[in-house]
């Protein structure tokens, strides 16, 4: 469980998605070229602020709407997806560690014969970084490697299919989104995923490892719901 001094969902200081990288427009703005006038610098700063505001808005929408609506948002406005990914990449660049790199290291320690499914793959970092056969899924294809799939729907347009029958599931998620980790783990158990290990050492994200131990139980699992990341402008 997080302590009082750790980041909270909803707090603008949080280094999770939507936070650090894009909340300090003065820091983020590209330096004006030598000799450029004040107006060019001002313009660059304003553009940066607009981008930051747009990113925060998209991020908030993503965390508060259904995944079906998120897919619709990105389909109708592909520019929104690009801004979201640019913003995400910038902020993760400011974290001490990028969670996806942890997963890459995890995979490299295991046999390359393992088949990997990356849900919410973004720019396919995992597929680009390991020798394994990797199936990359996302709401929107940032690259031709991506199979478009809403993981909430469990219906993927690929031969692999998204139903998870056996194997290991890794979850990397912003720490402050877990209001009640125990309830989350219980809910995962209801879905047939047994907790194998949890790394809660980072204040930024949790890394949870599960093994598929059996079929899901046919009842609602409310403990799966995570807090949204809503950010104030700093
Ligand atoms: C924060 S980004 C992380 C990208 C990548 N995993 C990484 O670490 O670089 C989250 C990704 O999850 C995708 N996503 C969100 N909801 C999804 C859903 N319901 N189904 C599939 N992908 C989803 C988003 O489109 C986005 O690309």
């Amino acid at each position: 469980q997080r302590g009082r001094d750790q980041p909270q969902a909803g707090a603008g200081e949080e280094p999770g998605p939507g936070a650090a990288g894009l909340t300090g427009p003065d820091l983020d703005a590209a330096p004006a070229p030598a000799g450029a006038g004040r107006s060019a610098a001002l313009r660059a700063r304003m553009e940066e602020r607009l981008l930051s505001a747009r990113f925060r808005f998209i991020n908030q929408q993503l965390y508060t709407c259904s995944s079906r609506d998120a897919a619709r948002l990105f389909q109708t406005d592909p520019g929104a997806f690009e801004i979201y990914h640019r913003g995400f990449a910038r902020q993760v660049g400011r974290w001490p560690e990028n969670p996806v790199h942890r997963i890459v290291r995890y995979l490299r320690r295991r046999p390359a014969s393992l088949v990997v499914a990356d849900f919410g793959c973004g720019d396919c970092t995992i597929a680009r970084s390991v020798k394994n056969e990797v199936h990359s899924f996302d709401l929107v294809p940032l690259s031709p490697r991506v199979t478009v799939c809403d993981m909430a729907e469990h219906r993927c347009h690929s031969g692999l299919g998204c139903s998870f029958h056996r194997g290991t599931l890794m979850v990397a998620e912003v720490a402050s989104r877990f209001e009640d980790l125990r309830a989350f783990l219980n809910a995962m158990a209801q879905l047939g995923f047994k907790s194998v290990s949890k790394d809660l050492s980072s204040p930024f994200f949790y890394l949870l490892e599960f093994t598929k131990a059996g079929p899901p139980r046919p009842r609602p699992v409310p403990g799966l719901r995570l807090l949204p990341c809503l950010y104030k402008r700093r």
Side-chain angles (χ1 to χ4, degrees):
Q1 298 295 319
R2 60 177 187 260
R4 291 194 56 186
D5 54 343
Q6 286 179 301
Q8 303 287 314
E13 311 300 317
E14 177 175 357
L22 291 168
T23 46
D26 291 314
L27 290 175
D28 288 345
R38 278 188 58 178
S39 64
L42 186 66
R43 187 193 158 98
R45 211 152 47 220
M46 292 311 288
E47 280 174 0
E48 192 63 37
R49 279 184 193 196
L50 275 175
L51 201 66
S52 299
R54 186 128 194 257
F55 172 78
R56 282 197 305 276
F57 179 71
I58 295 165
N59 190 66
Q60 177 166 336
Q61 276 185 303
L62 270 187
Y63 279 116
T64 52
C65 72
S66 70
S67 49
R68 196 172 292 182
D69 287 340
R72 209 169 292 138
L73 164 80
F74 287 146
Q75 276 151 18
T76 53
D77 184 359
F81 194 64
E82 205 201 311
I83 287 176
Y84 172 72
H85 272 280
R86 272 170 60 196
F88 179 72
R90 286 178 63 179
Q91 75 203 11
V92 166
R94 292 166 184 228
W95 292 5
E97 188 180 27
N98 183 337
V100 81
H101 294 158
R102 281 281 291 281
I103 291 181
V104 166
R105 282 208 304 279
Y106 173 94
L107 286 170
R108 284 181 179 161
R109 290 196 303 267
R110 282 165 178 78
S113 56
L114 291 176
V115 178
V116 179
D118 181 6
F119 296 97
C121 61
D123 65 0
C124 301
T125 300
I126 293 180
R128 289 186 284 106
S129 311
V130 299
K131 293 187 182 134
N132 307 56
E133 176 184 337
V134 179
H135 298 258
S136 304
F137 301 99
D138 208 295
L139 289 175
V140 182
L142 261 188
S143 96
R145 287 178 194 256
V146 178
T147 299
V148 173
C149 164
D150 178 353
M151 59 182 142
E153 296 281 335
H154 290 267
R155 272 186 250 117
C156 301
H157 314 293
S158 92
L160 182 74
C162 291
S163 299
F164 202 109
H165 298 298
R166 66 193 170 87
T168 296
L169 173 68
M170 301 293 298
V171 175
E173 186 53 272
V174 172
S176 64
R177 297 197 65 204
F178 291 94
E179 191 173 26
D180 184 347
L181 183 62
R182 188 184 295 229
F184 182 83
L185 297 178
N186 282 339
M188 291 298 288
Q190 302 281 318
L191 292 173
F193 290 95
K194 185 170 171 269
S195 171
V196 174
S197 72
K198 23 183 207 301
D199 183 344
L200 315 180
S201 59
S202 166
F204 299 91
F205 64 89
Y206 288 168
L207 198 59
L208 310 174
E209 180 181 359
F210 300 90
T211 188
K212 190 76 201 277
R217 292 192 204 144
R219 57 171 118 129
V221 280
L224 279 183
R225 191 169 287 281
L226 299 179
L227 294 172
C229 291
L230 304 176
Y231 303 104
K232 286 181 280 187
R233 192 174 153 225
R234 272 194 287 177

